[in-house]
Structures are given as structure tokens and as C-alpha cells.
Amino acid sequence: MIGTVALLVLLATVTGSIVYGRRKARAQTVEEWAIGGRRLGVLIFWFINAGEIYTTFAVLGISGFAWAYGAPAYLAFTSVSLASVIAYWLMPRVWEAGRRHGLVTQADFFARSYRAEWLGVIIALAGLFATVVYVEVQLTALSLVLQLTVGAAIGKTVSVVLAATIMLAFVFLAGLRSAAFAAGVKDVLMILLVVALSATAAHHVGASSILDIFRRADALRPGIGSFPGADPAAGLGVTWFVTSALNVAASTWFFPHMFQLSYAASGPRALRQNAIWQPLYSLSYFFIILLGLAVLVGQTVPAGGNPNAALLQFVAERYPPWLVGLMAGTASLLALVPGSVLLMTSGSIFARNIVQPLIGEQTPGRALLISRLSMIGFAAIAVYLTLGASESIVKVGLSAYASIGMLAPGAVLALIWRRAQAVGVLAGLVVGYIALLYPAAVAMCHRLLPGWEPGLAALILNLATVMLVSWGIGLARPSGRIVAAA
Amino acid sequence: MDNEAGGTPIRWHRLALLSPFVWQLGFAGIANNIVWRPFGLPFQMVWQMAGILVASAAIAWVFLRDEALDHGDNVGQP
């Protein structure tokens, strides 16, 4: 029963999205396939944005975080609102540059803004690295859903490989417009499901009302509703919250797929209107956190104490099979839609910003083929990472944000500071990645800035380096960079 | 006030876009120490949810002001 319902949800959505995508697509080019021909209006853009924001990171990750820590899950409430403020200012400028110069990828933006193709290649590699880590998050979740549906007996390896295969199949059959359709379906399903689960959770855990769940959670783990949450030793206090929220807000739009989304809108007005409405959707995190606390109150313990599986385990234990199947199907879409967009983005970056500079311009059809084939390689790397990972989805996700945040200084300065230099951006990346990845630097950051999200410290160092190096070059070469400030 | 690029008015109203940061992050420490539980919910949780409404309202207000300026109304006002 569980498998049948889940499969029905999945097949119906995928078939509908492919039909929708084929009817809407006008040409099989990378531009049409990857950025929807720059024609997405407010409504479809809102849905595809929501599809990118409300992923397994948000639903399985945040509910698991609420179950394990409590208040630190409030990070979700800041992730969309603060990022939308930045989007209001940033995205129309990126869109304008994209339209004016025919840009498709984020690396195109850097290469064009700094007139340095080599910088485009480096940005492409950095973007691919963070994108693959984010695909890992989606594969982790999709494999958990598969284990729930088919049975834990299939094991992690088979479920992760199967998850990657399903994701690739969807990508090969679909394009960005198909993903937008699937995003719309999964968002409607998710809202209905989460509201239904929340409305009945109190009954299932022996609480008298939704609000009683919060009271009981606080009685079980005193202080869970405020920082640092249920586990003070985890270091998730107010400083962690503020610095992590700033880092997520500053980094969100620099994931290559999110940056690329800016190009896909029909114009700056659609982007600005989207920024108004997008935060409101994140109020639904209330229900996600509620469900995480319901898992706690209901004393459900996921296998191996894995927080990522907390919500799925709770639903599997306490709800009828048809609803578990619906949950499994919807959760699959939660991973499948953003995962497919991430793979599409990595394919287009690889074809345009790594292969093209090396072997020259390709015909549109050949570029599309290279793009699609390269995705198999990226999916394989993501499978490898997923098999070796055991961390919370939220923690893996935050490391992806920290990594991609390294591209923010170079992108923002390209828009506002005409003296920013490609060499300065490279120096900033080197310093930022050392601060983020070199163990001695990370230890120093923890010592000097206790409680800070390391990604924010690395981002500030990166920014200071870009400005200092560019300023120094400017002194030596007073003409400075003359860019078509995007 | 004009910027040096050529007479485009500086859009001071866009400073309102900082308000969600002040609300959700600037006051997070204070909100954390308030023990009152509106509707039985942790105060910090309610504060952060209210911050989402502040963000949408701030962006909407800035959007309306920008639209007015883009359509030629009030050009030149700070």
C-alpha cells in the first residue's frame, strides 16, 4: 500500500510535468532547457523558487533539527525572509546583466563582468563543488524515503544509487519548465500533508492540542523553546543563530542554480514581486517545527538516532499506510525537484564554462548532449559523498552554504564597485577557502570568534581580501577595471 | 540627493529593507530572554515568525515606493 501510493504520486507528477514541459518548450537549447528562455512570470517563478527553498533540507532537515535541538530550528524562519530582502536588491541586477550579455550560468557572469574567462572556469569549479554537496542532501533524503517505501532491507547503498538513478531519469526527460510544474504539485501536496499531520499530531502523541505539544516538549526538555535549545553543549546559541542566519542569507543566491534562476524570470518586476510574497510561505515552517516537537513528545526514536529520519519514522509508526505512502511520494518530490534543478545547473555549467573554454564553442545540440552526460558524473560523485556521510541534513546543508558564500563578495562587488579586480576575487577565494577548510584556520576562528558560524567569518575575510588586493592593484594601475557594471 | 552616476535619486526608502535584519537578528538576544509565552508558544518562535511578516511588509512598501519613482511620481524626493 505504502509503495503503491508513493509510486502513484511520483508517476502522476513526473508524467504531468514532462507533458507540461514539452508543450511549453519552444526550442531544445541550453538556454531554453536551463533558464526557461528568460520568460518565467511571477506565478511560475514563485513556484520554482519555492521548489528550491522548500526542499528536504527544510522539511526532513528542520523537523529533525527541532526534534534533536528545538529552538535552533528557528533558523528556518530567517532563511527565506532575509534572503528575499537581498533578492530584492540583487536579482534584478543579475537579470539585467544576463539579458544584456546573453548569460546562462553564474560563471558566465563572473567571466563577463571581470573580462576574465579563467575566472569563469574557477567560479564554475567552485559552484560545482557546492552544488554536488547540495545534491548529496537531496540524495540522503530520497534514499531514506526509498528505505521507508521499499523496506530498510534494501540497505543504504542500493537506496542511494536508486535515488540518483530516479533523479537522473527525471532530469533527462525534463527541463526547467517541467521542474516548475513538479515544484507546484509537490508544494501543494506538502502544504496539505503538513497541515493534515499537524492537525492530528496532538491526538497521536496524547496531547490535548497543538499548543499542548509545545508545553509538553518544554516539560520533557526544559529550555527547548529558546536558544541554545535542548542541547547546550552543541553550541547552538544566539551568536550561532545570528551568524548562521546572516551566512545563509548572504549565500542563498550564490548557489549556481539560484543565481541562474535570476536569469529565468521575465523581468525585474517579476523578481521584485516574488521577493514580497516568498517570505510568507516560510510561515509554514511553524508546522514543520511543530511536527519535529511532536516526534519528541511522542517518544519516537528514529533508527540510529538519525535526525533526518525522525519525521518519516513518526509518520510510519502512527499513521495509516495510505498517508505514509502520500508522505513518501511527496517527500520524494521534495528531493527530486531541487535535485534535478541542481543537476541541470551543474550540467550547463560544465558544458559552457569548463568544456567550451577548453575545446571551443559547440553546436547547441552538442552542448546540450555534453551537459546531460556530465550530469551522470556529478550524480556519481554525489552518491559517493552520500554513502560516506552520516551528519544531519541541516549541518551538511550549512556547510554547502558556507562553501558557496565564497562567491558572494566577487559577485556583489562586480555590481557595485568598478575597481574590483579578477585577481582580487581569486585572492579572496583562496583566503576564504583556507579559513573555511584548513583545520588550523578553523580552530583559530573558533578560538577568536566563539559560537560563530565559520562560513560567515570566512566570507568577511574573503571580502576584505578582494577589496584590499583590488585596491592595491588599482594603486599600481590607476585605470582600474572598466566593467559593464551589471 | 543625487549620486555621481548622473542624477538618479538615491532611494533612501530602501533602508527599510534593513528592518527584517534588525527585527530577526538584532533583537534575537533580547527575545531569547523573554519568558512570556504568547498563545503558549515560546516567545522567540513568535518573534521570528513576526519577523517574516515584517520582511514581507518592508519589501512590499519599498516596492511600492520604487514603482512610484519609476513611473515619475515624486522624483527628486529623498
Side-chain angles (χ1 to χ4, degrees):
Chain A
M1 174 66 129
I2 296 174
T4 310
V5 176
L7 200 64
L8 272 176
V9 170
L10 208 56
L11 280 180
T13 310
V14 169
T15 308
S17 59
I18 290 168
V19 170
Y20 175 82
R22 296 239 159 118
R23 285 177 67 184
K24 289 285 180 181
R26 294 173 200 179
Q28 283 300 305
T29 63
V30 171
E31 187 161 325
E32 177 61 51
W33 184 61
I35 57 171
R38 302 183 209 277
R39 288 189 304 271
L40 304 188
V42 178
L43 191 63
I44 192 169
F45 189 79
W46 188 87
F47 268 117
I48 197 152
N49 235 301
E52 293 310 307
I53 291 167
Y54 303 97
T55 67
T56 51
F57 175 87
V59 179
L60 301 187
I62 292 297
S63 60
F65 222 54
W67 169 76
Y69 303 109
Y74 302 159
L75 181 65
F77 288 132
T78 64
S79 61
V80 183
S81 53
L82 301 184
S84 293
V85 170
I86 291 175
Y88 185 88
W89 177 84
L90 177 77
M91 291 181 95
R93 286 168 169 77
V94 173
W95 181 89
E96 185 59 43
R99 187 191 57 84
R100 193 186 306 148
H101 304 300
L103 312 178
V104 172
T105 65
Q106 181 184 46
D108 286 352
F109 174 87
F110 277 83
R112 180 67 181 76
S113 297
Y114 289 97
R115 307 264 162 85
E117 200 165 52
W118 61 265
L119 184 63
V121 175
I122 289 168
I123 295 297
L125 290 171
L128 285 174
F129 174 68
T131 302
V132 168
V133 174
Y134 217 53
V135 173
E136 176 197 336
V137 172
Q138 312 309 329
L139 285 183
T140 302
L142 194 50
S143 68
L144 282 172
V145 174
L146 284 171
Q147 288 184 43
L148 172 77
T149 314
V150 184
I154 66 166
K156 188 175 178 183
T157 307
V158 175
S159 63
V160 171
V161 172
L162 196 57
T165 310
I166 293 171
M167 207 174 273
L168 279 171
F170 182 69
V171 172
F172 283 140
L173 292 169
L176 190 65
R177 285 180 182 277
S178 303
F181 179 91
V185 173
K186 74 108 169 116
D187 282 353
V188 171
L189 278 176
M190 192 203 85
I191 289 284
L192 291 175
L193 196 60
V194 164
V195 170
L197 290 175
S198 301
T200 53
H203 165 72
H204 282 283
V205 300
S208 59
S209 66
I210 283 179
L211 297 178
D212 192 37
I213 292 176
F214 287 93
R215 277 191 292 272
R216 284 170 182 251
D218 205 49
L220 269 174
R221 310 280 292 272
I224 194 171
S226 56
F227 294 106
D231 182 8
L236 306 174
V238 171
T239 305
W240 168 85
F241 171 71
V242 170
T243 55
S244 296
L246 276 175
N247 195 51
V248 168
S251 307
T252 296
W253 303 109
F254 299 100
F255 275 104
H257 65 294
M258 301 301 278
F259 198 90
Q260 208 163 300
L261 265 185
S262 305
Y263 302 144
S266 58
R269 198 164 188 273
L271 289 163
R272 291 195 174 112
Q273 283 179 315
N274 180 65
I276 297 171
W277 300 109
Q278 204 77 69
L280 295 178
Y281 196 12
S282 65
L283 285 169
S284 64
Y285 287 134
F286 169 82
F287 297 110
I288 309 285
I289 292 172
L290 167 77
L291 288 173
L293 296 179
V295 179
L296 180 72
V297 172
Q299 315 251 333
T300 295
V301 179
N306 179 1
N308 305 328
L311 182 58
L312 290 174
Q313 178 89 24
F314 175 73
V315 175
E317 276 180 14
R318 293 172 187 263
Y319 286 85
W322 66 267
L323 201 134
V324 180
L326 194 60
M327 174 77 189
T330 308
S332 304
L333 292 172
L334 280 181
L336 202 56
V337 173
S340 61
V341 173
L342 287 163
L343 283 177
M344 268 186 267
T345 309
S346 48
S348 48
I349 292 171
F350 184 76
R352 281 180 71 92
N353 303 108
I354 294 179
V355 173
Q356 194 170 301
L358 290 176
I359 63 171
E361 185 130 7
Q362 306 293 308
T363 62
R366 197 173 160 80
L368 191 60
L369 182 68
I370 292 170
S371 181
R372 287 179 168 176
L373 289 179
S374 69
M375 291 185 305
I376 297 173
F378 295 122
I381 297 169
V383 166
Y384 174 76
L385 290 175
T386 310
L387 290 176
S390 58
E391 285 230 70
S392 143
I393 285 176
V394 173
K395 289 189 177 171
V396 176
L398 286 178
S399 68
Y401 275 101
S403 164
I404 206 61
M406 294 301 100
L407 305 189
V412 171
L413 289 175
L415 293 166
I416 60 173
W417 195 40
R418 297 173 73 84
R419 297 204 170 275
Q421 302 278 343
V423 174
V425 174
L426 176 64
L429 284 176
V430 171
V431 169
Y433 280 121
I434 288 174
L436 201 59
L437 302 173
Y438 187 57
V442 175
M444 187 190 284
C445 171
H446 284 309
R447 204 170 51 248
L448 294 176
L449 301 167
W452 270 53
E453 154 62 40
L456 186 67
L459 191 148
I460 293 169
L461 272 176
N462 177 336
L463 175 66
T465 307
V466 182
M467 295 188 76
L468 270 174
V469 172
S470 299
W471 179 68
I473 293 172
L475 284 182
R477 226 177 34 204
S479 58
R481 176 180 68 109
I482 306 296
V483 293
Chain B
M1 186 183 291
D2 291 350
N3 70 11
E4 62 184 336
T8 310
I10 290 179
R11 301 190 173 205
W12 291 108
H13 60 276
R14 287 195 177 182
L15 287 174
L17 293 175
L18 293 176
S19 56
F21 287 90
V22 174
W23 184 288
Q24 292 194 287
L25 305 184
F27 289 118
I30 296 169
N32 208 45
N33 293 326
I34 295 176
V35 291
W36 176 51
R37 294 172 70 96
F39 315 109
L41 295 170
F43 186 81
Q44 180 74 269
M45 186 180 198
V46 176
W47 184 258
Q48 293 303 331
M49 289 171 69
I52 292 173
L53 300 178
V54 169
S56 270
I59 299 171
W61 183 74
V62 170
F63 175 77
L64 291 174
R65 293 284 300 139
D66 278 344
E67 287 274 294
L69 283 173
D70 289 342
H71 290 97
D73 301 336
N74 305 322
V75 172
Q77 286 187 11

